Amino acid sequence: CKIGGAAAGERNVISGNNGDGVQIFGISATGNIVAGNYIGTDVSGNAAIPNGALSAGVLVSGSAGANVIGGTLPGEGNVISGNNNGLLLSAAGGNFVQGNYIGTNADGTAALGNTYGVKFDSAASGNTIGGASGKNVISGNSLFGVTITGSSTTNTVSGNIIGLNSTGTAAIANGFAGVNMDTSSSSNIIGGTTPNERNIISGNLKGITFSGVGTTSNEVKGNYIGLAVDGVAPIGNGEGIMMQTGAG
């Protein structure tokens, strides 16, 4: 199933619903594409019309896999803003989230935050947020840009702008941390070894936070943390990386 598309005329505005905006559920829910939509905003992409108060703009759950939220080509990214959870991956694996604006307006120039931008829970594993050619802008969310919790493992967050505008030149802060890992989340990768896998994690209250016994074996590599996209101009987080409460 394909919801939306790269052309402006294919765009859906999926907002104001009592539950989730888009829900992809179950082990047989595979190979679906959600592209080019405004989810949680008005038709202009500049004002919030949230989906359900305790729900998500997009929920992928129940072992759903190999789904794509956004895409790598122009116009395929969604604007997922103004919701409680922007994107929630719950007990889901092998999904791709690429090219989206999560927590900003449609131009990526101002905050239009979700509470949580991207959230992994219930042992979500093997999902990719970004990638070498799939940059998301994850900024302006009131708590976390990305939070990995609930024993979620082997997820990759790479190639994204987290806490800045779409050009990576000015802060649009996530309210607490750009990236957070807790509750026994392990073996996740933040960044990568090539320039295209580099996250820019800047302008947030905290850059990256780790907490909790069992939050172990996570890797942070190749990122700019506290700098603009050029790697020169400072756009600081409060703390760059913070490890606490038994994380190791």
Side-chain angles (χ1 to χ4, degrees):
C1 180
K2 186 174 184 180
I3 300 171
E10 296 178 300
R11 176 186 304 140
N12 300 287
V13 181
I14 307 171
S15 304
N17 299 289
N18 294 328
D20 303 308
V22 177
Q23 186 181 102
I24 302 172
F25 174 80
I27 195 167
S28 60
T30 63
N32 299 289
I33 298 171
V34 180
N37 305 289
Y38 289 178
I39 304 173
T41 78
D42 70 357
V43 69
S44 73
N46 291 310
I49 303 179
N51 292 291
L54 299 177
S55 301
V58 180
L59 171 65
V60 184
S61 66
S63 300
N67 300 287
V68 179
I69 311 302
T72 60
L73 299 178
E76 289 184 328
N78 303 283
V79 178
I80 308 174
S81 298
N83 305 283
N84 177 38
N85 293 297
L87 172 65
L88 176 58
L89 295 153
S90 182
N95 299 284
F96 295 87
V97 180
Q98 300 175 312
N100 306 287
Y101 287 179
I102 302 175
T104 73
N105 64 0
D107 295 327
T109 57
L112 194 62
N114 307 285
T115 304
Y116 299 90
V118 179
K119 184 177 183 180
F120 300 82
D121 72 4
S122 301
S125 63
N127 300 285
T128 299
I129 308 300
S133 59
K135 176 186 75 178
N136 300 284
V137 177
I138 308 173
S139 302
N141 300 288
S142 60
L143 284 181
F144 302 115
V146 178
T147 186
I148 304 175
T149 188
S151 300
S152 296
T153 66
T154 63
N155 299 288
T156 300
V157 179
S158 64
N160 305 289
I161 292 176
I162 303 175
L164 302 179
N165 62 10
S166 59
T167 59
T169 56
I172 305 178
N174 293 294
F176 189 75
V179 178
N180 171 70
M181 280 175 274
D182 62 27
T183 321
S184 300
S185 294
S186 63
S187 302
N188 300 286
I189 297 174
I190 311 302
T193 58
T194 69
N196 287 339
E197 294 175 307
R198 175 186 300 132
N199 297 293
I200 315 299
I201 306 173
S202 302
N204 306 286
L205 181 62
K206 315 286 185 184
I208 304 174
T209 57
F210 299 87
S211 63
V213 174
T215 301
T216 63
S217 302
N218 298 290
E219 296 184 53
V220 178
K221 54 189 178 184
N223 306 287
Y224 289 170
I225 303 173
L227 298 171
V229 71
D230 62 4
V232 176
I235 309 178
N237 305 287
E239 283 79 34
I241 299 174
M242 184 170 71
M243 307 185 75
Q244 60 184 343
T245 324

